[in-house]
Amino acid sequence: MKFTTLLQSVTPHRRTLVLILLLLVAGSGLALLNPWIAGKLTEVLLAVEGATGLPGLGTLLLAWLGLIAVKSVLSFSTQYLIGATGETMLADLRSRIYEHIQILPMSYFHEQRPGD
């Protein structure tokens, strides 16, 4: 398959692919918040001296649960869009192959070996 043919298959889905890319970047960004919240939670639990202005334990736990929930929704959305877009692209490709086979002359099939 030529690159231009592949590009023709991908082009109609470019908006969805850009959305998938943005969701992946957002998920990666949220994944970076996880260690930060864990560090703040550790500071609160160990009651580190000199750590002023720390939020309470309940606030940190709620923030962590919220982060997990948002990451889960982003992950599900991303995986769903990847699967749906991939299946749609495969269906389009199969349709193009079927249409191409239908317009081939009968002599082509007589010249080919079975299974080729």
Side-chain angles (χ1 to χ4, degrees), residues 94-105:
R94 287 178 183 142
S95 294
R96 287 179 60 194
I97 290 171
Y98 181 76
E99 289 171 6
H100 178 72
I101 289 173
Q102 291 296 315
I103 61 172
L104 289 174

Side-chain angles (χ1 to χ4, degrees), residues 13 16-17 20 80-92:
H13 307 285
T16 307
L17 294 173
I20 290 169
Y80 178 80
L81 284 174
I82 287 171
T85 305
E87 290 298 323
T88 304
M89 290 171 65
L90 278 174
D92 292 345

